[in-house]
Amino acid sequence: MSDSTQTVTDMVTHSKPSLIQKFASKYSIDADKLMVTLKHTAFRQSDGAEPTNEQMAALLVVADQFGLNPFTREIYAFPDRNKGIVPIIGVDGWSRIINTHSEYNGMEFSQSDNIIHIEGAMPCPEWIECVMYRKDREHPTRIKEYLDEVYQPPRGNYRGPWQTHTKRFLRHKAMIQCARIAFGFVGIYEQDEGERIINAQFEEVTTEQSTSTSDLNDQIKSANAKRKNGQVIDVEPDQKPVPPKSDTKASSGRGKSSKAKKAAESEVPAEDKANNGPSYAEIADKINKATNSDDIDVAIDLTNSIADLGQREELVRMAEEKLNVFCDPA
């Protein structure tokens, strides 16, 4: 037995005396061989690196706590940006911890009649609701998950599971989030959540990067230009899809949101007066008086004259709301 293997075994057995023996006995494998096998298989990171001794101990603690089998990928390791590891539980693992909970008493699913079309993905309900029952509670837990909030676009040219099995993955999301609320599962994640956590760690919060309003403007205009035949395409996971554009023109007085109305009536900030372009209040007024999507595009371009990033974001949101009115004048 190598020195490194001895060190791993000593560390785990010392910090958690019965943990490694418990796993070894459960899977009928030698304790030393178990640690080496897990490092090279289930807990091996995507970049080929092996987890540290401390990370191995943390992963085994989570696996033991929830009764998960690492050899069938019910739990696996996902590297974060700070050279740590996020314990990821696959959908089979979530199914196990739900079904083995002593108070679990069944679940049901329902879905929206409104079908969303995203280019490259399968047609999918706007939302799926999961209802979970507990033996010790009178009322069930109901959670809806909306496609526009959880959909993951393809990475490059690769069509991932969100494109090939859109409805199934939305159902998985609803089940997992409902289980969190119903049973209080904390500190464990599925892969989409793990990736979002890692990306959040990687992004630096700076003035230039925190908002990227110009990029958002481009995405909105691009999505609006490409919408056709009842399809909504180029939808980012954190943006609300805009319904397909209707040929019916909206009147200038229709669709004013309370937020947009408040913005249009607000006093012009001093910093806006110093800019060469129109002020916040002037752009908000243009959005409110817009009669078609071209007017909205012009207003979005004008938001670049606003120095305050928060106000620019607000104007873009107002523009999106007005676009919804043109798309669904009823």
Side-chain angles (χ1 to χ4, degrees), residues 157-262:
N157 296 323
Y158 171 69
R159 292 184 76 230
W162 273 107
Q163 286 72 55
T164 60
H165 297 79
T166 314
K167 291 181 282 293
R168 180 186 299 177
F169 266 66
L170 184 59
R171 187 184 71 225
H172 290 169
K173 280 285 189 180
M175 181 187 75
I176 291 170
Q177 296 306 321
C178 191
R180 276 219 174 90
I181 303 300
F183 301 107
F185 295 136
V186 296
I188 52 177
Y189 308 95
E190 41 92 13
Q191 185 165 333
D192 283 349
E193 293 171 321
E195 291 175 350
R196 290 176 188 268
I197 292 171
I198 292 164
N199 290 335
Q201 292 174 346
F202 184 69
E203 294 177 358
E204 295 180 1
V205 180
T206 63
T207 302
E208 294 180 353
Q209 186 182 21
S210 60
T211 303
S212 188
T213 306
S214 61
D215 290 342
L216 182 59
N217 294 349
D218 292 341
Q219 291 171 10
I220 294 172
K221 289 192 288 186
S222 175
N224 187 49
K226 295 179 181 178
R227 249 175 237 111
K228 61 181 180 179
N229 298 328
Q231 292 184 330
V232 181
I233 60 178
D234 290 351
V235 180
E236 293 297 324
D238 292 328
Q239 293 179 358
K240 182 177 180 181
V242 180
K245 184 176 178 180
S246 170
D247 292 334
T248 305
K249 299 293 184 178
S251 64
S252 61
R254 175 175 289 175
K256 284 189 180 181
S257 67
S258 59
K259 185 184 296 184
K261 190 173 182 180
K262 180 179 179 182

Side-chain angles (χ1 to χ4, degrees), residues 6-23:
Q6 182 65 54
T7 302
V8 172
T9 305
D10 290 345
M11 181 277 298
V12 178
T13 55
H14 176 72
S15 62
K16 194 81 174 178
S18 64
L19 185 56
I20 188 62
Q21 290 90 348
K22 184 176 180 180
F23 269 85

Side-chain angles (χ1 to χ4, degrees), residues 61-76:
V61 167
V62 174
D64 178 63
Q65 179 182 354
F66 292 99
L68 298 169
N69 185 345
F71 293 105
T72 57
R73 299 281 287 179
E74 289 180 351
I75 181 173
Y76 54 95

